[in-house]
Amino acid sequence: MDAPCAVTYQLFPEIEQPNRSGRLRVSELHELYWEECGNPQGVPVVYLHGGPGEGAEPSKRRFWDPDHYRIVLFDQRGALRSTPLAETRDNTTQHLIDDLERLREHLGVERWLLTAGSWGTTLALAYGEAHPERCLGFLLRGIFLGTADEVHWYLHGMRRFFPRAYEDFVSWIPEDRRDAALDAYLERLLGEDPQARLDAARAWVRYSASCSLLRHDPEGVEAQAADEQTTLGMAVLDAWYFKHQLFLEEDQLIQGLAPIRQLPCYLVQGGHDMIATPNSAYQLHKAWPGSVLKIVNDAGHAPTEPGTTSALIEATERFKRDGRFA
């Protein structure tokens, strides 16, 4: 594991507008929003957001030195500014892997640094294992490996630490169906009643947001749940991917590491992360010789917690020196 860092790193200044942005048609149904910031001649880095329906909001532009990095952000299928919003048709992990390759080719990038959080770490590993020759390395935060145990923990295990949030999460579901909460949510989230869909989406997002931070932020939870566009994308696609086991075989990502195991890898993990628990980060670290594991003791799941923000930016600064994290 990595030793504690004495320096606190801060976000880079706000970037008001990207250098360029656009929309990429990836199928007859789906169109992705993408943008580039920073140095057009710099080291390419692509950010894979969580969810998978969360989207890459503008605040994510600030984690990399814009003088050094060519920063690529995009919204995955069904997320935020991509269209159609919250669409589950033709939306699987393999589709997203193919989308990344289309985007890379569209932008003329030869190889890029994969930076990701939460579900994004799942996608980053799956993409890397499919296209190792296109990767410079991996900076992963809040590791989620897409196993049945992790999905069950999210849906049922977190109630041991967040009983009130869990009670609110399942309060509308009949007691005899609460063991099948995921199915109950999907029925509403994919149903015909728009108000029922939105109510279920807000309940899902409140649960996730309530469990994300080490220090609970009720106002932040409500602000996140109030945004209809973000809420629908997050809830529908979270539940869709969970129902289908992230479209992965059990333990697929650990078993398939061989093509990328020689590449640089830096893992940032909140020590009190209850959504993507430290166990997954530790298992990945053990399976990846030479990887660096940074445990942030005073943090949960969110990248906005100060210790996690600092650790992520420290890693990007390390990579600037010689393309490694060690």
Side-chain angles (χ1 to χ4, degrees):
M1 295 188 192
D2 196 30
C5 177
V7 178
T8 299
Y9 291 83
Q10 304 291 333
L11 290 170
F12 289 94
E14 186 173 349
I15 298 173
E16 294 288 345
Q17 294 292 334
N19 297 335
R20 60 179 187 145
S21 63
R23 308 191 67 83
L24 178 65
R25 173 68 61 179
V26 292
S27 76
E28 291 185 4
L29 180 60
H30 289 278
E31 188 174 75
L32 309 185
Y33 169 83
W34 63 268
E35 64 176 49
E36 278 193 356
C37 302
N39 182 352
Q41 307 305 317
V43 174
V45 55
V46 61
Y47 173 68
L48 308 184
H49 63 71
E54 181 179 301
E57 68 273 15
S59 62
K60 295 297 190 294
R61 301 167 183 165
R62 303 178 61 192
F63 282 87
W64 305 269
D65 180 351
D67 292 330
H68 183 82
Y69 288 102
R70 178 185 176 187
I71 305 161
V72 178
L73 275 65
F74 77 105
D75 298 334
Q76 296 159 31
R77 293 191 182 204
L80 202 58
R81 294 153 294 191
S82 292
T83 54
L85 178 67
E87 178 58 68
T88 59
R89 289 174 295 169
D90 298 332
N91 198 332
T92 71
T93 300
Q94 187 57 56
H95 283 112
L96 301 190
I97 291 170
D98 294 344
D99 290 349
L100 259 174
E101 269 299 273
R102 286 178 182 239
L103 179 61
R104 183 192 62 77
E105 292 172 354
H106 178 72
L107 298 178
V109 173
E110 183 66 25
R111 299 170 71 204
W112 47 13
L113 173 65
L114 280 292
T115 303
S118 195
W119 148 258
T121 69
T122 319
L123 178 57
L125 293 169
Y127 170 83
E129 291 173 8
H131 300 283
E133 73 284 357
R134 300 306 179 190
C135 305
L136 295 171
F138 298 81
L139 171 55
L140 308 177
R141 185 269 312 161
I143 314 307
F144 193 83
L145 299 174
T147 64
D149 180 68
E150 289 166 305
V151 172
H152 185 270
W153 170 261
Y154 179 92
L155 291 169
H156 303 289
M158 289 197 302
R159 62 182 160 185
R160 295 176 181 269
F161 291 89
F162 302 98
R164 180 173 295 176
Y166 181 80
E167 189 175 75
D168 291 341
F169 179 59
V170 299
S171 62
W172 63 272
I173 304 172
E175 287 195 26
D176 62 353
R177 289 201 67 197
R178 289 180 181 176
D179 286 343
L182 180 58
D183 290 333
Y185 263 95
L186 269 175
E187 286 174 16
R188 284 210 178 181
L189 290 168
L190 300 180
E192 298 297 327
D193 184 336
Q195 189 58 52
R197 291 185 75 207
L198 184 57
D199 289 346
R202 285 181 168 148
W204 183 285
V205 168
R206 284 191 185 101
Y207 176 58
S208 178
S210 295
C211 302
S212 290
L213 297 169
L214 180 60
R215 295 173 178 83
H216 186 54
D217 177 14
E219 292 183 2
V221 169
E222 289 307 312
Q224 193 167 349
D227 186 324
E228 182 172 335
Q229 186 173 18
T230 302
T231 295
L232 280 172
M234 287 182 65
V236 171
L237 295 180
D238 276 7
W240 174 251
Y241 272 71
F242 279 2
K243 178 63 178 177
H244 294 279
Q245 200 61 51
L246 291 304
F247 299 93
L248 299 170
E249 299 296 326
E250 185 68 8
D251 210 28
Q252 175 180 328
L253 299 180
I254 292 292
Q255 296 300 320
L257 275 178
I260 56 174
R261 199 179 273 127
Q262 82 286 358
L263 293 171
C265 176
Y266 197 102
L267 310 174
V268 175
Q269 180 66 42
H272 296 275
D273 188 337
M274 292 295 165
I275 289 182
T277 65
N279 180 64
S280 295
Y282 187 62
Q283 294 304 314
L284 182 59
H285 174 57
K286 287 204 306 179
W288 197 322
S291 64
V292 177
L293 174 58
K294 174 84 171 186
I295 299 291
V296 183
N297 291 323
D298 58 345
H301 186 64
T304 53
E305 292 172 288
T308 300
T309 297
S310 180
L312 289 168
I313 296 172
E314 177 195 0
T316 67
E317 291 293 282
R318 287 187 182 198
F319 198 81
K320 278 168 55 174
R321 296 196 293 265
D322 56 7
R324 297 185 302 125
F325 295 114

